[in-house]
Amino acid sequence: MSTLTVKTMAQFMAEGKQPEVLFWVGCAGSFDDRAKKITRAFVKILNHIGVEFAVLGTEESCTGDPAKRAGNEFTFQMQAMMNIEVLNAYEVKKIVTTCPHCFNTLKNEYPSLGGEYEVLHHSQYLQQLIDEGRLKIEGGEKFKGRRITFHDPCYLGRGNNIYEAPRTLIEKLDAELVEMKRCKTRGLCCGAGGAQMFKEPEKGNKDINIERTEEALNESPEVIATGCPFCNTMMTDGVKHFEKEKTVVVKDLAELLMEAQDL
């Protein structure tokens, strides 16, 4: 197993250097066992092509998204101000994150509090690296012709109008992209947004993630691709609910690209 090279902003600072980009790992990517695999996949790709990136490490705190969505503006502003102080002290200019919730908060909520950065979702950043010729999807036979459907995360799609980058990455794999009935601007939430991830659902006749997984399974995919750790959890739970885990896998875009390159 290849060792991952991950340096902190503090290490770059000590060397008198600035990384090309700051990778904002996020709470899920740091602590959730499933989401850690997404973090590792993204780091492997960056290591493979020699991108100089840094993380904040222990200096990174929650962006405050769950607190804000749950209605606790005070806690959100305290968390945001702490992060902004750290980011500005390091003179961070460009941030990439694998979580659309972190992405949306850093991009749209932080500027009014004094945190102005170029913020990219990892699908956009990977697309950028491909466009620059730095990342090449070689030996992409692994997914050739395989049916992949993409679930649009709310904060990536309808929240920030990013629909093409994830789909372009899937098409680069020579896979067959099959769309769900509700996709892009009409996409359906996985059921985890708005801090719903952290509580039991209200009573009803069907959980949202079950409804959404049904829509995905209707397209007979081999892979349900996501670009968000929360969506990944909800869709994985949905696939387990239908006992389809032997035939359908839920993967993040970074994991698909990493596997296509045999990293």
Side-chain angles (χ1 to χ4, degrees):
M1 188 173 157
S2 60
T3 53
L4 303 179
T5 308
V6 183
K7 287 166 71 173
T8 61
M9 280 302 291
Q11 285 172 299
F12 269 97
M13 197 85 160
E15 293 168 12
K17 284 163 58 180
Q18 270 283 26
E20 186 180 322
V21 66
L22 172 77
F23 172 27
W24 186 276
V25 183
C27 299
S30 301
F31 301 114
D32 179 82
D33 284 343
R34 176 63 187 88
K36 282 181 199 171
K37 293 178 180 173
I38 300 169
T39 304
R40 286 195 194 100
F42 185 56
V43 167
K44 274 185 182 175
I45 294 170
L46 298 186
N47 278 173
H48 176 62
I49 59 172
V51 172
E52 287 218 318
F53 72 95
V55 297
L56 286 175
T58 53
E59 292 185 276
E60 182 186 300
S61 171
C62 178
T63 58
D65 168 76
K68 188 175 181 73
R69 303 306 155 208
N72 194 335
E73 183 66 25
F74 177 68
T75 299
F76 161 70
Q77 293 214 6
M78 280 181 43
Q79 288 180 304
M81 297 303 282
M82 269 184 355
N83 285 323
I84 288 167
E85 271 183 38
V86 173
L87 290 166
N88 289 352
Y90 283 126
E91 298 179 4
V92 170
K93 303 282 187 290
K94 187 172 182 176
I95 303 174
V96 62
T97 177
T98 52
C99 174
H101 297 254
C102 298
F103 165 72
N104 180 68
T105 307
L106 292 164
K107 181 175 183 284
N108 299 320
E109 313 280 6
Y110 275 30
S112 63
L113 298 170
E116 302 217 16
Y117 321 102
E118 181 192 353
V119 187
L120 297 171
H121 181 253
H122 70 308
S123 63
Q124 293 176 295
Y125 187 59
L126 291 167
Q127 174 65 54
Q128 215 174 68
L129 292 170
I130 290 170
D131 290 346
E132 290 167 5
R134 295 166 69 186
L135 174 59
K136 294 177 175 63
I137 310 301
E138 292 145 354
E141 298 298 307
K142 189 154 192 178
F143 295 100
K144 195 176 179 69
R146 287 177 69 184
R147 288 173 71 84
I148 299 181
T149 191
F150 179 67
H151 162 74
D152 288 285
C154 296
Y155 278 124
L156 192 63
R158 288 169 304 163
N160 286 285
N161 282 319
I162 296 164
Y163 300 109
E164 293 318 313
R167 288 170 170 80
T168 307
L169 294 179
I170 291 168
E171 282 162 3
K172 285 269 192 293
L173 300 170
D174 268 350
E176 183 190 348
L177 177 61
V178 288
E179 295 286 9
M180 289 182 242
K181 286 212 163 39
R182 283 187 276 194
C183 65
K184 299 186 180 176
T185 53
R186 294 180 62 250
L188 178 71
C189 178
C190 71
Q196 297 294 312
M197 182 80 181
F198 308 103
K199 56 182 269 300
E200 289 302 313
E202 286 87 359
K203 287 196 169 22
N205 57 11
K206 192 193 284 186
D207 286 354
I208 292 181
N209 70 314
I210 301 303
E211 169 92 3
R212 187 55 167 161
T213 307
E214 264 178 355
E215 291 188 358
L217 295 175
N218 283 343
E219 304 306 325
S220 308
E222 290 172 68
V223 181
I224 299 172
T226 66
C228 169
F230 293 148
C231 297
N232 196 302
T233 297
M234 301 305 268
M235 301 303 279
T236 301
D237 287 353
V239 169
K240 283 177 185 162
H241 172 86
F242 291 108
E243 297 180 349
K244 294 277 191 192
E245 57 266 58
K246 284 194 171 66
T247 51
V248 181
V249 291
V250 181
K251 296 270 187 183
D252 185 85
L253 296 161
E255 294 177 304
L256 295 177
L257 259 65
M258 178 196 75
E259 285 178 27
Q261 296 185 291
D262 283 328
L263 297 181

